[in-house]
Amino acid sequence: MLKLVNLTKQYGDKIAVNRLSLTLQPGVVTGFLGPNGSGKSTTMKMIISLVHPTAGEVIIDGKRYHELTEPTKNIGTLIDPSAINHNLTARQHLALISTAANMDTSRINQMLDMTGLKMVENKKVKSYSLGMKQRLGVATALMSDPDVVILDEPFNGLDVDGIKWLRGLFKQLANSGKTVIVSSHLMGEIQAVADRVVIIGQGKLLADMTMKEMNQKSLSTYVYVETNHLKKMKKLLQDNLANVQELEKGLEVRNLTAKEVGILAYKHQLTLFELKTVQPTLEELFTEITAGKVDYVSRGDEIT
Amino acid sequence: MMHIIKADFKKISYLQGYRNVLLATAVLSILFGMTFLFTTNVTTGKSLSDLSWIEIMDITLLGIDVTTIMFIIFTAYFIANEFASGTIYTSLAITPLRQKYFLCKLLFIAKISILSSIILTCALIFIAYVMITMNNIDGMIWNSALMIKLFGVIIMPMFYSLLSLAGTFYTQTASGGIAFALAVMFTPALIKMFPANVSDVILPIFPEHALHVFTEIHSSVDTGLWLNASVILLLWIAITSILSYWRFNKSDF
């Protein structure tokens, strides 16, 4: 089990990570979301002692990372796919990792096969595309068959086949009881693979929920209704303490369920054209939660 | 710890750039040693046959100065490449104990530099020996004074490589490591320009002076002098290593 306790990192006046506490369970894919500069990478680096926390700690099976006797057996990481000596081949890179960490060299072939790099194993990394480097980074992270797998933006640069492969791999790793932590800006990908979502903004924990909870409890969930008497329906709903917003053709209703709206319409003999519960996408939720907590915002002005 | 050092040796066998630097070190050291030997007419005004065996040995072993400079460069690039390429992420993920990582690099550099130094010193001695024999120069004896000289010659590349390592870890750049080691190596030349009462006080604290205690042939055994020189060299390594480790340990990557 991986536990983050009041994890804090401060660079001068800027607090990159602010008292972050989380417990990451095995068998679960956790999506780690946050805008640029929100502290995702810093948190990941603090887990493996690349960055020293200003306060708080990371506990892995009761120990800190640097106290582990064979740390790579506990945690496998992909922090930066380009952080490889580009004059090495994929095979040589993995051979160096296995020698330094005293791992079984038979895993090299397994990893090359699994990541689809077997065909280019003897080509220098400098000739690889970003997607191929990502695959090599994943191979490096999984070399020692670790209990916890941490991958920072692993979908970047991957083609459709690569994304599909990675999705399957995450599910497979979680099913085999591993703790999988994936950060990404690609909300759709996180939505497709994650069982749990952690959102941070300006270093603070903004949301920590399962995908199921997100779908059920989200503030953004509303009921959309279209009827023949929009004004009458609106008044009726407001009388029943609903929060109603008029849209072009229908109403956006909060605080009441679709069932309750349907019963009200039936009782007052209103014809419904459409009645549905609208659940936000992860992207919409992310935008809503991180509103005002984004460090870098583009102005969106047109270039003339 | 041995696995990490083994991986570094493996890295040299995999990467042509490192192999080329080591090959260039060997070629240049021998080439310069021979050049110094065959230009004594110009540099000392004497032909080879007029020189004593110890002078021939001294001149040939100047090739090790080239080894030293090449190893300063090799060490700086070898260490700095980890920081520049970002492979430090993987290295520290494997070895999160930074003192262990630092010590492994220090031992690796010490090993490879001393090994190369021994091989090249033997090669240069062989060249000097051939010249001594060809010119029928008598009197060569393998005494303890010569052995101590050879010890001093062999440790010189390792010593400056470790200074380069310290400088590189401190600045996390190759240029920083090279500049630091070369500054320590050449500053005594500047100090010698000062009045004797100033330079006589400052020079003994520089490693060049301590290394010369070993590399010069002494007529009598002076254990105190050698001990003093050893302490100076060890202090330089210890202080620079501690400072660079301290800086490295508090760095975030």
Side-chain angles (χ1 to χ4, degrees):
Chain A
M1 189 192 290
L2 179 64
K3 210 171 172 182
L4 279 58
V5 187
N6 282 326
L7 204 59
T8 305
K9 182 66 190 178
Q10 193 165 354
Y11 294 104
D13 293 339
K14 178 158 169 76
I15 300 174
V17 179
N18 194 355
R19 298 173 65 82
L20 188 64
S21 291
L22 282 173
T23 302
L24 297 152
Q25 301 286 354
V28 175
V29 179
T30 304
F32 210 50
L33 290 173
N36 287 339
S38 60
K40 298 187 302 289
S41 295
T42 308
T43 304
M44 288 181 159
K45 285 178 176 179
M46 278 196 280
I47 293 174
I48 56 164
S49 300
L50 286 175
V51 169
H52 301 294
T54 310
E57 57 186 353
V58 179
I59 305 292
I60 307 130
D61 295 334
K63 288 179 179 175
R64 289 184 213 175
Y65 189 72
H66 64 264
E67 291 168 353
L68 298 166
T69 41
E70 287 180 295
T72 48
K73 287 227 187 312
N74 293 77
I75 299 185
T77 49
L78 163 63
I79 298 291
D80 178 0
S82 296
I84 298 169
N85 193 318
H86 287 196
N87 288 313
L88 290 170
T89 65
R91 176 169 284 281
Q92 287 173 336
H93 169 73
L94 295 178
L96 283 179
I97 301 288
S98 73
T99 305
N102 194 22
M103 294 173 197
D104 183 5
T105 48
S106 66
R107 288 279 292 175
I108 298 172
N109 282 331
Q110 260 177 278
M111 289 301 105
L112 288 169
D113 274 335
M114 187 200 72
T115 52
L117 291 173
K118 192 81 182 162
M119 295 282 283
V120 289
E121 62 172 338
N122 292 318
K123 285 195 174 171
K124 286 187 178 177
V125 174
K126 64 182 170 192
S127 67
Y128 286 14
S129 65
L130 178 59
M132 287 156 86
K133 284 179 196 162
Q134 289 281 22
R135 285 171 184 263
L136 183 56
V138 172
T140 309
L142 299 178
M143 263 295 280
S144 56
D145 194 20
D147 300 327
V148 179
V149 182
I150 298 174
L151 306 158
D152 195 4
E153 305 277 359
F155 295 105
N156 283 0
L158 282 179
D159 54 16
V160 178
D161 180 60
I163 289 173
K164 206 173 151 190
W165 162 71
L166 211 51
R167 277 184 199 163
L169 179 71
F170 292 157
K171 290 284 176 199
Q172 200 184 321
L173 289 169
N175 289 341
S176 64
K178 296 189 190 302
T179 308
V180 184
I181 306 158
V182 187
S183 85
S184 181
H185 285 107
L186 304 169
M187 315 298 168
E189 288 314 322
I190 290 292
Q191 197 159 20
V193 296
D195 305 303
R196 179 185 173 193
V197 181
V198 170
I199 301 176
I200 62 169
Q202 292 179 339
K204 285 182 192 165
L205 181 67
L206 302 178
D208 176 10
M209 57 186 126
T210 62
M211 290 303 284
K212 203 175 169 186
E213 280 171 338
M214 191 204 84
N215 290 336
Q216 287 171 349
K217 295 179 186 173
S218 168
L219 293 170
S220 289
T221 307
Y222 61 90
V223 173
Y224 178 78
V225 60
E226 275 184 33
T227 176
N228 57 339
H229 288 290
L230 219 54
K231 299 270 184 230
K232 192 178 173 186
M233 187 74 198
K234 187 181 176 185
K235 189 171 181 312
L236 191 63
L237 291 166
Q238 281 171 334
D239 290 345
N240 282 276
L241 303 175
N243 181 355
V244 187
Q245 202 180 334
E246 208 170 318
L247 303 174
E248 197 184 341
K249 286 183 180 173
L251 300 170
E252 189 180 299
V253 187
R254 291 169 204 268
N255 299 339
L256 286 180
T257 63
K259 190 178 173 183
E260 288 165 335
V261 174
I263 290 169
L264 273 174
Y266 173 73
K267 278 181 181 170
H268 294 85
Q269 296 183 326
L270 290 168
T271 308
L272 294 183
F273 302 143
E274 194 168 353
L275 178 65
K276 64 180 178 186
T277 303
V278 179
Q279 283 172 338
T281 62
L282 186 56
E283 190 161 348
E284 286 164 338
L285 179 72
F286 177 80
T287 310
E288 182 183 304
I289 290 175
T290 59
K293 288 160 181 103
V294 181
D295 283 339
Y296 308 104
V297 188
S298 53
R299 285 176 56 205
D301 292 351
E302 274 185 37
I303 299 167
T304 52
Chain B
M1 205 181 237
M2 287 314 293
H3 302 293
I4 301 160
I5 297 171
K6 200 175 155 189
D8 277 339
F9 274 106
K10 222 175 201 179
K11 209 180 278 175
I12 290 175
S13 73
Y14 287 159
L15 293 165
Q16 204 184 2
Y18 293 141
R19 286 202 308 269
N20 287 347
V21 174
L22 291 181
L23 189 69
T25 302
V27 171
L28 289 174
S29 301
I30 291 169
L31 202 68
F32 272 83
M34 287 171 76
T35 309
F36 294 137
L37 198 58
F38 295 124
T39 53
T40 51
N41 280 330
V42 182
T43 53
T44 64
K46 291 180 187 174
S47 67
L48 263 181
S49 52
D50 298 332
L51 295 170
S52 68
W53 71 269
I54 196 72
E55 283 172 317
I56 290 178
M57 197 69 88
D58 256 343
I59 291 165
T60 319
L61 286 173
L62 284 175
I64 291 296
D65 288 2
V66 178
T67 313
T68 305
I69 291 170
M70 290 299 284
F71 256 95
I72 286 173
I73 297 165
F74 171 81
T75 304
Y77 276 105
F78 190 85
I79 303 295
N81 195 31
E82 293 257 317
F83 299 110
S85 66
T87 48
I88 190 79
Y89 294 158
T90 317
S91 301
L92 288 181
I94 295 169
T95 321
L97 269 178
R98 296 199 185 179
Q99 66 262 43
K100 189 178 170 185
Y101 176 82
F102 184 86
L103 200 60
C104 285
K105 294 290 169 195
L106 192 136
L107 287 174
F108 166 72
I109 292 297
K111 260 189 179 184
I112 193 159
S113 57
I114 206 95
L115 205 70
S116 307
S117 188
I118 288 171
I119 294 167
L120 290 172
T121 303
C122 288
L124 290 168
I125 288 172
F126 175 74
I127 292 165
Y129 184 75
V130 170
M131 286 299 128
I132 290 165
T133 314
M134 279 171 67
N135 287 283
N136 298 317
I137 299 161
D138 298 325
M140 187 176 167
I141 40 163
W142 291 90
N143 56 13
S144 59
L146 179 61
M147 289 301 159
I148 287 165
K149 178 187 173 61
L150 293 179
F151 169 76
V153 167
I154 287 168
I155 63 162
M156 191 167 66
M158 181 188 75
F159 176 81
Y160 283 106
S161 296
L162 294 183
L163 287 190
S164 176
L165 173 134
T168 310
F169 265 107
Y170 193 88
T171 60
Q172 291 173 16
T173 61
S175 52
I178 294 168
F180 174 65
L182 291 181
V184 175
M185 185 185 255
F186 293 116
T187 303
L190 290 175
I191 294 170
K192 279 172 192 164
M193 293 177 194
F194 286 89
N197 59 343
V198 177
S199 60
D200 285 353
V201 177
I202 303 172
L203 278 177
I205 57 171
F206 273 86
E208 190 212 29
H209 186 266
L211 283 165
H212 277 177
V213 168
F214 291 107
T215 53
E216 281 166 9
I217 295 278
H218 297 271
S219 50
S220 60
V221 175
D222 190 342
T223 321
L225 198 65
W226 291 335
L227 197 69
N228 194 34
S230 303
V231 170
I232 294 280
L233 293 179
L234 286 173
L235 277 176
W236 268 94
I237 295 297
I239 292 167
T240 54
S241 296
I242 288 167
L243 282 173
S244 59
Y245 166 69
W246 166 78
R247 180 76 184 268
F248 170 61
N249 191 40
K250 75 183 187 97
S251 298
D252 289 327
F253 295 100

